[in-house]
Amino acid sequence: MSLTTAPAASSTDDALASEPQRPRRVPAIGKSFAMFRNGKSLTGLAILGVFVVIAVFAPLIAPYDPLEKDFTALRQGPSAAHWLGTTHMGEDVFSQVVYGTRGVLVVGFLAGIIATFVAVLVGVAAGYWSGWKSESLSALTNVFLVIPGLPLIIIVASQYEDPPLILVAGVLAITGWAWGARVLRAQTMSLRNRDFVQAAKANGEKLWRIIAVEMLPNLTAIIASSFVGTVTAAVLGLTTLAFIGVIPITNLNWGTILFWAQQNGAFPDYWWWYVPAGLCIALLGMALSLINFGIDEYVNPRLRSAGERARAMRKKGLAMDGGVTEVRVGQGSAP
C-alpha cells in the first residue's frame, strides 16, 4: 500500500499566515465620511475649499489694497493692471472681491457654529426629555421659528455705527437655529426608545454619556445638514444686509461691493463691477447646496440606495433613463 503525502505549503503562504493581521481602520474611517463620497459633495467641498484658501491668503492673492485709489483709472474695464477693472474711485475690484471673501466666510461659519450648537442643545434635550420640559423647549423653538430675521437684524445693527461681525453673526444665528432644533428633536424622540439607549439606561449610564456616546453619533448627518443650511442662510443674510446699506462700508464683503455698484450707477454698463461679486455669491451658495445634497442622500435611505444603484449602473455602462424593461422569454414559452 502506497502512502500519499499532502503537498507542503509554500513559504509564501507560511509567511502570510505567520504575519500578524493588522486591524483594518480605513473602512471605519471612510464610513464616518460616507456622506462626502458622492460627486456632488466632492464638487461642493472643492469649491468651498477654494474660497477658504482665498480668504486665508487674501493679502498674498490680492495685488492691491482693497481701498487703494488710482484716480488715473476710473471705471476702467478688465486689463493687465486691474484684472476685474476698477470702481468709480479707481479701486481694484479683484482685490475687493478677494478681501470680501474673508468677511462672508467668517460671518457664515461663525453663525453656523453658534446656531448648530444651540440647535443640538435644545433639540436633543427636547427630544430626550418628556413631559413639561420637552413641551417648554418645543414651545421656545416654535417662538423662534416665527421671529422675522431680517427686521430684527436691521433693528439691532442700526443701534451701532459700526456693528462688529460677531454681532451680525450672533443675530443671524439666533434667528436661524430653530429649524435644526425642530428636526433634531423629532429624530431624538425616535432614538430614545431604541434598544441600545434603553440598555445604556439599564446599565446606569450617565445622561451626558448616553447623549454624547449613544445618540449624537446617530445624529451626525442631520447636524451636518443643519450646519450647512445655516451657513447658507447666514451668507445670504449678510450680503442682503450689506446690499441694502444696513452694514457699514468698513465691513468689506461681496454685499458692500454690490451696494456701491448700485449706488454709483454701475448697472448695466460697468458689468465688471457687480458681476464678479454676484458670481461669487452664486458659486458659494451652489457649493453649500451640493454639500447639503450629498448629506441628504446619506441621511435618506431611499436617496442613498437610489444613488448607489445609479452609480453601479453607470459603471456597467447602463442607462438610467430607459423606461422599458426587456423581458426574456424562455424556449418552452409561447411567442
Side-chain angles (χ1 to χ4, degrees):
M1 181 176 64
S2 61
L3 297 176
T4 304
T5 58
S10 63
S11 59
T12 304
D13 295 338
D14 292 339
L16 292 175
S18 60
E19 183 180 355
Q21 296 294 327
R22 298 178 180 179
R24 300 183 63 186
R25 297 182 179 180
V26 176
I29 297 175
K31 186 177 180 181
S32 301
F33 296 93
M35 67 183 73
F36 301 120
R37 285 180 179 176
N38 56 29
K40 294 179 182 178
S41 295
L42 292 177
T43 303
L45 287 173
I47 298 174
L48 182 60
V50 171
F51 281 117
V52 171
V53 171
I54 292 174
V56 173
F57 299 102
L60 301 177
I61 297 174
Y64 303 96
D65 185 271
L67 300 179
E68 180 182 348
K69 297 174 177 57
D70 183 5
F71 295 105
T72 62
L74 304 180
R75 289 193 177 97
Q76 287 191 357
S79 62
H82 302 281
W83 294 350
L84 295 179
T86 60
T87 67
H88 68 298
M89 298 293 289
E91 299 161 337
D92 186 66
V93 176
F94 177 74
S95 299
Q96 290 189 349
V97 171
V98 170
Y99 274 91
T101 305
R102 181 176 295 179
V104 171
L105 292 185
V106 166
V107 172
F109 280 97
L110 188 59
I113 292 172
I114 297 174
T116 304
F117 176 78
V118 177
V120 171
L121 190 65
V122 176
V124 175
Y128 184 82
W129 288 331
S130 58
W132 67 270
K133 295 181 180 179
S134 176
E135 295 299 329
S136 299
L137 292 176
S138 179
L140 179 65
T141 304
N142 293 333
V143 169
F144 277 89
L145 279 174
V146 297
I147 291 179
L150 190 60
L152 178 62
I153 297 173
I154 293 175
I155 294 172
V156 173
S158 63
Q159 305 301 316
Y160 297 85
E161 294 183 359
D162 188 6
L165 292 180
I166 189 171
L167 175 65
V168 178
V171 178
L172 290 171
I174 289 174
T175 58
W177 64 268
W179 289 105
R182 191 75 173 173
V183 177
L184 286 171
R185 176 179 180 269
Q187 188 66 21
T188 305
M189 291 178 66
S190 66
L191 287 176
R192 69 184 182 187
N193 295 322
R194 299 286 180 88
D195 294 338
F196 59 91
V197 176
Q198 296 298 325
K201 290 181 180 179
N203 290 332
E205 299 288 350
K206 296 182 179 180
L207 176 61
W208 67 266
R209 191 181 186 282
I210 294 176
I211 294 177
V213 177
E214 303 294 342
M215 305 185 76
L216 283 184
N218 294 281
L219 300 172
T220 303
I222 298 178
I223 294 173
S225 179
S226 175
F227 173 76
V228 172
T230 306
V231 172
T232 305
V235 169
L236 295 177
L238 174 67
T239 52
T240 301
L241 291 172
F243 179 71
I244 64 179
V246 175
I247 297 178
I249 58 173
T250 54
N251 292 331
L252 184 64
N253 58 72
W254 299 333
T256 55
I257 297 174
L258 295 177
F259 169 78
W260 282 114
Q262 189 270 337
Q263 289 293 317
N264 292 278
F267 301 95
D269 297 332
Y270 307 109
W271 57 267
W272 60 84
W273 194 347
Y274 57 87
V275 169
L279 285 178
C280 287
I281 296 173
L283 281 175
L284 182 58
M286 182 184 71
L288 295 172
S289 298
L290 288 174
I291 296 173
N292 206 9
F293 290 156
I295 297 174
D296 287 340
E297 182 176 323
Y298 177 80
V299 174
N300 193 326
R302 293 184 179 180
L303 293 177
R304 184 168 66 248
S305 61
E308 293 174 353
R309 185 167 60 251
R311 287 189 287 270
M313 293 184 68
R314 281 195 297 267
K315 288 182 180 180
K316 295 180 180 180
L318 301 176
M320 288 293 297
D321 55 353
V324 180
T325 303
E326 181 182 359
V327 180
R328 297 183 181 273
V329 181
Q331 295 181 355
S333 302

